[in-house]
Amino acid sequence: MPSALERWIDEVASVTGPNSVYWCDGSQSENARLLREMMAAGTLLELNQRQYPDCYLHRSDPSDVARTEHLTFICSREQIDSGPTNNWMAPAEAKTKVGALFKGAMRGRTMYVVPYIMGPVGSPFSKVGVEITDSPYVVVNMRIMTRMGTPALRAIEAGAEFVKGLHSLGDLSPDRRFVLHFPEEKMIWSVGSGYGGNALLGKKCFALRIASVQAREENWLAEHMLIVGLESPEGETHYIAAAFPSACGKTNLAMLIPPASQKGWKVWTVGDDIAWLHPGADGRLWAINPEAGFFGVAPGTSTKTNRNAMATVQANSIFTNVGLTEDNCPWWEGIDGPVPERLTDWRGRPWQKGSTEKAAHPNSRFTAPAIQCPSISPKFNGVPISAFIFGGRRARVAPLVLEAFNWNHGVFVGATVASETTAAQSGAVGVVRRDPMAMLPFCGYNMADYFGHWLHMGTVARRPPKIFHVNWFRQNDEGRFIWPGFGENMRVLRWIVERCAGRGGAVESPIGLVPDKGAIDTQGLEIDTQTLDDLRAVSKDDWRAEAAGVGDFFGKFGSRLPSEMRNQRAALLARLG
Ligand code: GTP
Ligand code: SPV
Ligand code: MN
């Protein structure tokens, strides 16, 4: 008798009509063959193999370069369960409408069956998925980003449940592009995009949107968070998980290199985008990184800003929508060295120095194996989290760092994060929007219930992490960042670690605890006292306006919003006087 998996594969094949069906085993030889086929088809270019061994360049369709949030839907049975912040489509309507786009969609193509595990093989926290796709680019990326192939198939044969993901490039038309999630069926349908979070279904679709639903059902958290370990000169390591919206600094913080002034500190990278957190017997939250690779933003990455990332992408990596130098090396704005006179831009067109257009797309990315990162932590099976950090990109208003008064206040701080939009999603850049816990585009259910789940987890975990908020992106009137950021963020992380250890000076402000004057080490930093004061400043007028915005945002959730969220807002208003 065919298994549930085989029945599903047959069913999909009969609808999509591929030339052939191929089951991926994840082997090196399979990967090499796929790469060769893509090079022959012109969808992959070999990069300079001397400088970038086994590295390749892919140029996606110019209309398909970022996640498309307006085409992303939660198809819960009841609309209210998707909440006011998600797009919703009724499951039956979704299956008819989008099902029609899958009809014959794989004609003339190979249908790849990609079994994969999110999380380490054998971990009790890992989960299994199967992605059906007609894109070999997706296959080779999934092989880097997940534990792909035979071990996943074995787990399914042994009875593991799996999340079904169906993906087709379709005709790549934005008019026929949909990314659908069926939370009750733990199923994903994606058509019309070959890009990143739209197409690599293990990442945002499974590990966040579907997993957030599973996490609520099973008493854990699936979060858009990096995980990093900070080892003090005395050899004590604190692990921190931080949620920043897309393209707001997670990869950079996860791979931070402490500057020379921070002698003896060592940073361990556990994950750069997603954390799955489970309460442990010790009452703490323990985090794993469900991914096996990094799908990181290329622009701005250099040996100065992120030396670990530069080392990670030197081999076995795929670059998407970056520029190309005359000697076949990847290039992007902000990479080391002088700007070359001539390049090929991300669309494959000649580019000249001084051009007003970017050579690399602002959301161009690298896909690289995590294991190649010089700072990679060996603790794949879980680390205890001392602190959660929320943050955003705010030119004004939000100070450099603050500590929440307690868990519930911290949940409020996370739920009210606002950030300027970036190139990681299609649409306008630089618009301030509420992005609770950096999960606005990734929560698979009603966010009011999600806030409730967060409040609940503070009681499930007896020793939950302390909660902080940071903003590396404050600007002066000339539009310059006033905090140096990157490695220098270590100074702020040290204050956070101090606070977790019950030390470190702090003073109360209406929005939380801020560092005492002098509590953040600024030795060796060229920064004047006025700037430091600006970074710590909390303007009551600004925050009254924030609280009003939060009121509007909370209003969207109606009676579904936990009353504690309203209480927290009332308490904030009271503290603001
Ligand atoms: P996703 O992969 O989209 O989830 O993004 P991410 O949160 O991992 O962001 P990433 O670390 O890739 O950073 C995005 C951009 O912000 C890059 O261009 C960085 O150079 C820039 N950036 C990161 N950290 C800092 C910082 O501390 N200060 C400033 N000014 N820029 C930063
Ligand atoms: C993000 O946008 O948050 C990313 C890239 O990490 S993607 O995989 O496209 O979601
Ligand atoms: Mn992300």
Side-chain angles (χ1 to χ4, degrees), residues 67 203-204 224 244-247 250 272-274 365 442:
R67 282 181 297 100
K203 197 171 175 59
K204 297 309 183 3
H224 191 202
F244 309 148
S246 302
K250 289 183 300 302
D272 83 322
D273 198 48
I274 299 177
R365 302 243 167 191
F442 307 122

Side-chain angles (χ1 to χ4, degrees), residues 249-321:
K250 289 183 300 302
T251 300
N252 278 272
L253 196 69
M255 299 180 188
L256 181 150
I257 295 178
S261 65
Q262 306 299 300
K263 241 182 118 194
W265 284 85
K266 192 165 173 10
V267 170
W268 297 97
T269 307
V270 181
D272 83 322
D273 198 48
I274 299 177
W276 284 359
L277 302 121
H278 291 258
D282 59 358
R284 304 183 72 184
L285 285 178
W286 287 71
I288 63 158
N289 171 13
E291 302 191 281
F294 306 124
F295 185 63
V297 177
T301 310
S302 70
T303 52
K304 271 190 227 77
T305 58
N306 193 344
R307 179 151 41 89
N308 282 323
M310 290 304 284
T312 307
V313 304
Q314 229 58 66
N316 309 306
S317 297
I318 298 167
F319 296 85
T320 302
N321 295 338

Side-chain angles (χ1 to χ4, degrees), residues 211-228:
S212 63
V213 173
Q214 296 174 315
R216 180 165 172 240
E217 291 166 355
E218 299 163 6
N219 264 330
W220 52 283
L221 291 167
E223 299 299 327
H224 191 202
M225 288 178 170
L226 67 95
I227 310 163
V228 67

